[in-house]
Amino acid sequence: MKKMMLGLIATMILLLTACSNGEQTSSTDDKTIKIVATYSIIADMVKNITGDKAEVYSLVPIGTDPHMYDPLPDDTKKVSNADLVFYNGFNLETGKGWFQDLLEVTDKSAVAFPVTEEVTPIYLSEKGKESQEDPHAWLDIQNAIKYVDVITKQVIQADPDNEEYYLQNKTEYVAELKEIDQYARTQIAKIPEDKRILVTSEGAFKYFAKAYGFESAFIWEINTDSQGTPEQMNRIVDIINTNKVPALFVETSVNPKTMETVSKETNVPIHSKIFTDSLAKQGEPGDTYISMIKWNIDKVIEGLTP
């Protein structure tokens, strides 16, 4: 049913476009390229590379889980008109099959590129999911730099006249990413190694944990319909009690109720919300990739430093 609805929406958009072809003036002369990203973190990276040379649209709204998104009519229109589409891949946009359906009905597969192209995946470990990639690679800043490599390459191919501009933006942005990566390593060194246990609702921090020397502990591995089961709850409570974990964290894009239950069971406080699948709203802390990473680092340090 959802795929049929997407198809009807796409047909309507094509008809409207055909009817208005004779009226187009400024849009046909406009050299600004149109780029769609599946969620806000990729969109922010794209904006840092393209500056004012592109219109960038994020499909998944701020604060919404991209695993299980339902596209809107305007999303279909934006993808239909896009010169480039960037998506994460690694099992992120596969929930409900929404993204693949969207590409099919808009016929944009040829200009859609996974930003994880150069990333070595970590795999999910839940029963039956051993062959599926964990999608949250962007939480390792070195992987974010690889995202930027892919984005820059494809943007230049779509708009070679502005290659020098895009490469300069990339150089400056990568320098900022390397700076925050070093900041993370310096700050995290303040936490004793035996206290580097990061407890979150979703197991989104495996890449972060591997990069910065943490153990990633979580209630469920990836956002699905089976979250907070008795088995999952018993396991995480045991980890917290055994290791005397001093602080818990809950992601901005998930319901906090399950972690609140864990907090009551263990008498361990939820220290802060941290970011995983979405940036913050514009004007708030965490509204760019770099500021969200810095927020996460600072909050984790506060919660786990004795």
Side-chain angles (χ1 to χ4, degrees):
M1 179 63 72
K2 181 179 70 177
K3 193 169 182 178
M4 183 182 299
M5 288 298 297
L6 284 170
L8 290 171
I9 293 167
T11 301
M12 291 173 65
I13 290 167
L14 290 172
L15 288 171
L16 289 170
T17 302
C19 291
S20 61
N21 275 344
E23 301 173 6
Q24 290 182 353
T25 53
S26 61
S27 62
T28 55
D29 297 328
D30 187 3
K31 294 183 179 180
T32 302
I33 58 174
K34 295 176 176 60
I35 302 176
V36 170
T38 49
Y39 63 107
S40 58
I41 294 168
I42 296 177
D44 179 65
M45 294 178 181
V46 173
K47 289 174 184 176
N48 275 278
I49 301 305
T50 59
D52 60 1
K53 304 296 184 186
E55 295 176 11
V56 183
Y57 177 78
S58 175
L59 292 174
V60 180
I62 295 290
T64 302
D65 178 9
H67 296 270
M68 307 294 282
Y69 182 58
D70 284 319
L72 302 172
D74 198 44
D75 296 331
T76 308
K77 182 178 179 181
K78 291 290 187 181
V79 174
S80 294
N81 293 330
D83 299 300
L84 288 171
V85 179
F86 289 113
Y87 64 101
N88 189 77
F90 279 9
N91 200 44
L92 183 70
E93 297 95 348
T94 55
K96 298 183 179 180
W98 68 270
F99 181 64
Q100 190 58 44
D101 289 349
L102 194 56
L103 288 182
E104 288 178 9
V105 300
T106 56
D107 195 27
K108 286 292 178 175
S109 296
V111 294
F113 301 96
V115 292
T116 51
E117 182 181 305
E118 299 176 2
V119 175
T120 301
I122 293 174
Y123 289 89
L124 302 178
S125 58
E126 282 186 359
K127 186 177 180 181
K129 294 184 178 179
E130 289 84 355
S131 63
Q132 293 185 23
E133 301 97 340
D134 185 316
H136 304 94
W138 63 86
L139 291 172
D140 175 351
I141 301 168
Q142 292 299 319
N143 285 338
I145 293 172
K146 294 177 181 178
Y147 281 30
V148 170
D149 288 341
V150 173
I151 291 166
T152 306
K153 178 178 70 175
Q154 296 302 336
V155 167
I156 289 171
Q157 287 193 10
D159 183 21
D161 291 345
N162 288 304
E163 177 177 4
E164 186 175 344
Y165 175 80
Y166 297 133
L167 289 175
Q168 180 61 35
N169 286 351
K170 176 190 173 184
T171 298
E172 294 173 3
Y173 188 48
V174 168
E176 293 179 33
L177 292 172
K178 289 180 177 179
E179 183 178 346
I180 195 68
D181 182 55
Q182 186 56 51
Y183 174 81
R185 296 177 191 282
T186 301
Q187 296 301 308
I188 288 166
K190 298 176 182 178
I191 306 174
E193 290 186 12
D194 63 344
K195 298 299 181 185
R196 295 181 194 173
I197 302 174
L198 181 58
V199 178
T200 56
S201 301
E202 183 188 10
F205 283 84
K206 295 192 198 74
Y207 292 92
F208 178 90
K210 183 177 180 180
Y212 304 112
F214 282 86
E215 176 185 339
S216 175
F218 45 85
I219 305 172
W220 58 83
E221 186 162 40
I222 193 166
N223 288 340
T224 65
D225 293 330
S226 56
Q227 298 172 180
T229 65
E231 181 182 6
Q232 292 169 340
M233 298 291 277
N234 290 335
R235 179 179 56 80
I236 196 64
V237 166
D238 184 57
I239 290 172
I240 293 165
N241 290 336
T242 300
N243 293 280
K244 298 181 180 178
V245 174
L248 312 176
F249 300 88
V250 63
E251 303 90 318
T252 57
S253 55
V254 304
N255 191 314
K257 288 184 178 179
T258 308
M259 186 58 80
E260 288 168 357
T261 300
V262 172
S263 179
K264 290 177 183 177
E265 281 283 319
T266 59
N267 291 317
V268 176
I270 297 173
H271 179 74
S272 175
K273 288 187 174 183
I274 52 178
F275 296 95
T276 50
D277 300 328
S278 172
L279 301 179
K281 293 180 180 179
Q282 188 172 0
E284 297 180 0
D287 64 352
T288 68
Y289 173 74
I290 287 177
S291 65
M292 84 164 229
I293 288 290
K294 186 176 186 302
W295 171 280
N296 285 356
I297 293 163
D298 290 343
K299 295 304 176 184
V300 169
I301 299 270
E302 288 173 8
L304 299 184
T305 302

